[in-house]
């Protein structure tokens, strides 16, 4: 039977984070380009809350330059600017299958969410571009520094309609963007959860 925890107050177990990551677009002809030409570095910001030791949610915004290519030898490169904002649900696998430990060094946390992407033809929000939904997923590997600070390495990404691409659209309706992020997290408010002591175990 899973442990019962005391109710989490609204101001408890919030976190904010900032970092950066390498991004790569996966379109119909991008495989012909070199790895370094495809990769860009984009900043990332987030805010979130843990509702209990197993479940949480976060709001993430990440964006910057992204590249796509055309031609059998990637002769043409399209440089685009975009921002992806998404809401994710987080599931702490480590806390769920092992006994909850606030001081555990490592936690494994998959996420799934939905978002919205704005791609501009020139600078942010300038010129004609693309607006559309995204479907996001990632794997978080978190490392505790102390009660207030933690670090995580994340591998994930999202799928987006092929209208996002300034180059050839290809035959598939959805293309993808992969991110590898490094983020520093600051815990805000009360940190951690307390096991509830029930007067009647049948409750």
């Amino acid at each position: 039977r899973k442990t019962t925890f005391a109710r989490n107050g609204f101001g408890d177990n919030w976190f904010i984070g900032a970092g950066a990551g390498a991004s790569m677009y996966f379109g119909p002809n991008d495989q012909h380009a070199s790895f370094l030409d495809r990769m860009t570095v984009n900043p990332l910001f987030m805010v979130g809350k843990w509702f209990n030791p197993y479940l949480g949610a976060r709001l993430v915004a990440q964006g910057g330059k992204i590249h796509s290519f055309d031609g059998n030898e990637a002769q043409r490169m399209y440089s685009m600017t975009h921002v992806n904002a998404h809401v994710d649900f987080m599931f702490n696998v480590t806390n769920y299958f092992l006994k909850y430990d606030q001081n555990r060094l490592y936690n494994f946390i998959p996420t799934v969410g939905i978002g919205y992407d704005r791609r501009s033809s020139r600078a942010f929000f300038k010129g004609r571009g693309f607006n559309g939904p995204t479907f996001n997923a990632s794997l978080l590997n978190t490392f505790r520094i102390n009660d207030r600070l933690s670090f995580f390495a994340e591998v994930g990404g999202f799928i987006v309609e092929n209208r996002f691409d300034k180059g050839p659209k290809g035959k598939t309706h959805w293309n993808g963007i992969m991110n590898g992020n490094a983020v520093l997290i600051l815990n805000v408010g009360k940190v951690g959860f307390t096991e509830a002591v029930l007067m009647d175990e049948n409750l």
Side-chain angles (χ1 to χ4, degrees):
R1 193 171 92 176
K2 301 306 294 181
T3 302
T4 302
F5 292 90
R7 181 169 295 180
N8 182 15
F10 178 79
D12 300 341
N13 294 295
W14 285 87
F15 62 87
I16 56 176
S23 298
M24 185 177 294
Y25 185 73
F26 289 83
N29 294 318
D30 295 312
Q31 72 273 17
H32 301 300
S34 71
F35 179 83
L36 291 179
D37 285 341
R38 295 177 65 184
M39 188 173 65
T40 57
V41 177
N42 295 168
L44 174 151
F45 303 94
M46 71 173 64
V47 59
K49 176 178 171 62
W50 286 101
F51 307 117
N52 57 49
Y54 320 123
L55 298 175
R58 64 175 185 170
L59 173 64
V60 184
Q62 184 172 17
K65 290 287 186 180
I66 199 79
H67 297 156
S68 69
F69 297 84
D70 188 13
N72 293 332
E73 297 181 358
Q75 297 96 326
R76 291 175 293 279
M77 183 178 77
Y78 302 93
S79 183
M80 303 172 286
T81 303
H82 83 115
V83 174
N84 181 236
H86 52 100
V87 176
D88 299 330
F89 292 97
M90 305 179 295
F91 176 56
N92 191 316
V93 171
T94 310
N95 278 342
Y96 187 81
F97 288 104
L98 302 177
K99 182 176 175 60
Y100 168 67
D101 182 0
Q102 180 181 335
N103 297 318
R104 181 179 287 115
L105 173 64
Y106 170 79
N107 285 278
F108 175 64
I109 306 171
T111 78
V112 293
I114 57 174
Y116 183 83
D117 201 280
R118 163 65 176 169
R119 191 267 293 164
S120 301
S121 57
R122 297 194 297 274
F124 284 119
F125 305 111
K126 293 183 179 180
R128 298 181 62 185
F130 164 87
N131 297 277
T134 63
F135 299 92
N136 302 63
S138 71
L139 300 175
L140 305 183
N141 297 276
T142 70
F143 301 88
R144 179 183 182 275
I145 300 173
N146 56 42
D147 283 348
R148 291 294 172 188
L149 292 175
S150 61
F151 166 84
F152 75 67
E154 174 182 20
V155 177
F158 59 90
I159 59 173
V160 64
E161 293 179 88
N162 61 12
R163 295 185 297 111
F164 178 95
D165 202 328
K166 288 173 63 177
K169 303 300 183 285
K171 297 180 180 179
T172 61
H173 182 71
W174 299 93
N175 292 333
I177 293 179
M178 176 174 280
N179 299 311
N181 300 317
V183 180
L184 186 65
I185 295 292
L186 172 65
N187 296 314
V188 180
K190 179 184 175 183
V191 178
F193 298 88
T194 303
E195 185 175 350
V197 179
L198 303 179
M199 291 184 296
D200 183 349
E201 284 296 323
N202 291 325
L203 294 176

